[in-house]
Amino acid sequence: MDFSQGVPEPTLRRLPTYCHFLRRLAQDGADVVSCRQIGDALHLDPTQIRKDLAYAGMAGRPKVGYPVPELLAGVENFLGWNNTQQAILVGAGSLGTALLGYKAMDRNGVRIVAAFDTSPDKTFQAIHQVKVLPMRKLVDLVGRMQIHVGILTVPAESAQTVCDLMVQAGIRAIWNFAPVALKVPDTVIVQNENLFSSLAVLSSRLQSTFQPRTLPEEDPS
Amino acid sequence: MDFSQGVPEPTLRRLPTYCHFLRRLAQDGADVVSCRQIGDALHLDPTQIRKDLAYAGMAGRPKVGYPVPELLAGVENFLGWNNTQQAILVGAGSLGTALLGYKAMDRNGVRIVAAFDTSPDKTFQAIHQVKVLPMRKLVDLVGRMQIHVGILTVPAESAQTVCDLMVQAGIRAIWNFAPVALKVPDTVIVQNENLFSSLAVLSSRLQSTFQPRTLPEEDPS
DNA sequence: TAGATTGTTAATCGATTAACAATC
DNA sequence: TAGATTGTTAATCGATTAACAATC
C-alpha cells in the first residue's frame, strides 16, 4: 500500500462510517466480519473497503475475514479517537449550541473544553456543561491549555476576524462552518463544512427526478 | 458541455459557494467578475470555475467576464433557490433545533414547515417559529401538503424506523444526519451528512503535521 | 490593435472497479 | 481438498488541470 501521498480523503471520510457499523456489530457480539458483509450494510464495494482498511493498517485473514474487536480498535486508533484532541468553539448560536450538545463528539476524537461568544447574555453561563467565555479570554486560554483545534460557528461576517484571532492564539486546525473561504497562513489547516453544498446536491437530484434535465439539441433552423 | 451524465457532484457542491461570494460582490456593487477573481477569493482554479458555471448554463464574455447580477440570479435559479422546496424535520434535539434556527435555509432553497418529535415535552410547542408535532401527525401532514423533502435528525437507533415512516408518507428525498446507511426504495434519494467524516479528515491532517506518517520499511531482520 | 478573458479540447491525475493470484 | 475471502496489480472511469483557439 502506497502511503507516500498520505491517505486519500475519500478513504478518510469512509473510515468513521466503518467504525459506527463495527460498534454495532461488536455490541451484537460478532467476532469476525468480511468486506462483503460491511459492503452490503453500507452500500459500498467490498474491494474498496478492503483497500480502505489496508490504508488504516488493518489486515484480515483469507477465507475468515477481519476480527471485529481488533478491527474496530485499530480503525479508531488510526483515526486518533483514543487520544482525544481538546478544542474550543467560537460562536454559541444555534449551530454552536448543537455541537456543544453532541455527546458523541467525545467518542469521535474531539472534546470541546470551552466556548466563546461576544454576547454578554451568553458569557459565563454553561451550555451543555461547557462554559461560555467572552472573546477576550480566548488567546490566553488557548495558549495555556495548548489547544490546537478551533471550531468556528459564527456568522459569515465575523468569520475572518475570529479566524485571525484563533490563528494568533496558536490554533492549528479550524473546523469552519461559516460559508466563507478563510485566509490563513499555510501552517494552519482549514476544514470547511458547508451544509448548503450538501443540500444543493440533494435538491438538484430531486429536481432531476421530476423533470430530467433536457439534452442540448441541434438548432432546428 | 455534456449534460448526458448530469452535473458532476463536485460541481454541484461548489455552486453554493459561488453564490455566497457573488452575493457579497453584488452588495458591494460590482457589475462584472472574472473567473480569476472568483478563484483568488475562493482558492479555486479559474478553469474549474468556468466549467462549473458552464454546467449551470451561464456564459460570460471574453475579455469582460460575467455580469454579477445575472450570474448570481442564474446560478441561484439553477440550484432551485427561487422556488423553495417545503420540508419537514424529524428529531427536535440539539441538531434539529439548530437547523430550525438557520434563517439562511430559506434563501438556500428549503423551508421547514413543520417538525416532529416523540417527546411530549417538545410537541405542540414552537422552536424558532416552527411547530413541533407528534409523530402520528406526520403521514397526514406530508400527504396533504405534498412535501417531498425530509430532514432526519434523530439518534442512530431510530433513524431507520423514522426513515420508513417518511417513505411511507411520500417523502422523496431525505437529508440524513444520522450515522447510518438507510435502506430506502430506489425511488427515494438519500443525502448523508456525516459531520464526523469531516472531523476525521481534519484530525488526520492535523496529526500528520505533528508526526508525518512513517513510510512502511523493509523488515530489518 | 493588443491583451485579457472566455470556451473547449486534450492531457493528467487520482480514485474506483475489475481481475486474479495467494492463502486459510 | 474446495471454496471463500484477502491482498495486489491492472483497467477503467471521471474530475481536474493544462493548452490553445475564439472573441470582445
Side-chain angles (χ1 to χ4, degrees):
Chain A
M1 189 63 52
D2 174 26
F3 286 93
S4 58
Q5 300 297 312
V7 180
E9 185 165 321
T11 295
L12 234 29
R13 292 190 154 272
R14 282 186 295 265
L15 289 173
T17 315
Y18 302 155
C19 283
H20 291 130
F21 177 68
L22 291 169
R23 281 176 186 163
R24 248 176 304 153
L25 273 189
Q27 273 180 342
D28 297 351
D31 37 283
V32 288
V33 66
S34 70
C35 290
R36 176 74 170 279
Q37 285 174 272
I38 301 176
D40 286 347
L42 304 178
H43 315 126
L44 292 170
D45 183 76
T47 306
Q48 184 168 70
I49 293 168
R50 211 169 293 128
K51 222 161 192 180
D52 288 342
L53 296 178
Y55 269 118
M58 305 312 297
R61 283 163 53 193
K63 161 135 182 164
V64 180
Y66 299 78
V68 174
E70 285 87 338
L71 185 59
L72 175 56
V75 177
E76 285 184 335
N77 182 57
F78 178 80
L79 288 171
W81 286 2
N82 298 324
N83 54 347
T84 301
Q85 287 275 349
Q86 296 193 313
I88 56 154
L89 178 146
V90 181
S94 47
L95 181 59
T97 300
L99 294 177
L100 291 173
Y102 238 170
K103 304 252 162 59
M105 207 84 111
D106 265 48
R107 299 181 64 197
N108 290 256
V110 166
R111 164 169 285 137
I112 303 173
V113 295
F116 297 88
D117 203 286
T118 47
S119 163
D121 300 353
K122 287 173 183 161
T123 49
F124 300 114
Q125 295 189 344
I127 297 180
H128 297 295
Q129 286 93 53
V130 179
K131 265 231 175 100
V132 182
L133 301 170
M135 297 299 287
R136 69 187 133 80
K137 303 264 186 189
L138 191 151
V139 173
D140 179 60
L141 185 136
V142 166
R144 270 193 301 112
M145 295 189 70
Q146 303 224 36
I147 292 173
H148 300 305
V149 177
I151 305 174
L152 193 51
T153 49
V154 301
E157 306 81 68
S158 31
Q160 184 62 57
T161 310
V162 172
C163 167
D164 293 343
L165 191 66
M166 282 182 171
V167 170
Q168 183 205 325
I171 290 290
R172 301 177 52 171
I174 297 174
W175 196 14
N176 174 36
F177 286 80
V180 170
L182 299 172
K183 285 183 206 69
V184 294
D186 55 10
T187 49
V188 175
I189 293 158
V190 175
Q191 179 71 28
N192 294 304
E193 189 71 53
N194 197 339
L195 294 180
F196 296 122
S197 291
S198 177
L199 193 53
V201 177
L202 179 85
S203 52
S204 159
R205 288 203 275 160
L206 182 61
Q207 283 185 320
S208 64
T209 64
F210 287 123
Q211 35 180 350
R213 202 173 296 296
T214 50
L215 298 170
E217 286 174 47
E218 293 299 307
D219 187 334
S221 68
Chain B
M1 190 62 52
D2 172 28
F3 286 92
S4 57
Q5 301 296 313
V7 179
E9 184 165 321
T11 294
L12 232 29
R13 293 191 154 271
R14 282 187 296 266
L15 289 172
T17 316
Y18 303 156
C19 283
H20 290 133
F21 177 68
L22 290 169
R23 281 176 185 163
R24 250 177 302 153
L25 274 188
Q27 274 181 341
D28 297 352
D31 34 283
V32 288
V33 66
S34 69
C35 290
R36 176 76 170 279
Q37 286 173 271
I38 301 176
D40 286 347
L42 305 179
H43 316 127
L44 292 170
D45 183 74
T47 306
Q48 183 169 69
I49 293 167
R50 211 168 293 128
K51 221 159 193 180
D52 288 343
L53 295 178
Y55 269 118
M58 305 312 297
R61 283 164 52 194
K63 161 134 186 169
V64 181
Y66 299 79
V68 174
E70 284 88 337
L71 184 59
L72 175 56
V75 177
E76 285 183 335
N77 183 55
F78 178 81
L79 288 170
W81 287 2
N82 298 325
N83 53 348
T84 300
Q85 287 275 350
Q86 295 192 315
I88 56 153
L89 178 146
V90 181
S94 47
L95 182 59
T97 301
L99 294 177
L100 291 172
Y102 238 170
K103 303 254 163 57
M105 207 83 112
D106 265 47
R107 301 180 64 198
N108 289 257
V110 167
R111 164 168 286 139
I112 303 172
V113 296
F116 296 88
D117 202 287
T118 47
S119 162
D121 300 353
K122 288 174 182 161
T123 50
F124 299 114
Q125 295 189 344
I127 297 181
H128 295 115
Q129 286 93 56
V130 180
K131 267 231 176 98
V132 183
L133 302 170
M135 297 298 288
R136 69 188 135 80
K137 303 264 187 188
L138 191 152
V139 174
D140 178 60
L141 186 135
V142 166
R144 270 192 303 112
M145 296 189 70
Q146 304 222 35
I147 292 174
H148 299 304
V149 177
I151 305 175
L152 192 51
T153 49
V154 301
E157 305 81 67
S158 31
Q160 184 62 56
T161 309
V162 172
C163 167
D164 293 343
L165 191 67
M166 283 183 171
V167 170
Q168 184 205 323
I171 290 289
R172 301 177 51 172
I174 296 175
W175 195 14
N176 173 35
F177 286 81
V180 171
L182 299 172
K183 284 183 207 67
V184 294
D186 56 9
T187 51
V188 174
I189 293 158
V190 175
Q191 179 71 27
N192 293 304
E193 189 71 52
N194 196 339
L195 294 181
F196 297 123
S197 291
S198 178
L199 192 53
V201 177
L202 179 85
S203 52
S204 159
R205 287 203 275 159
L206 181 62
Q207 283 184 320
S208 63
T209 65
F210 287 124
Q211 37 180 349
R213 204 172 298 295
T214 49
L215 298 170
E217 285 174 48
E218 294 298 308
D219 187 333
S221 66

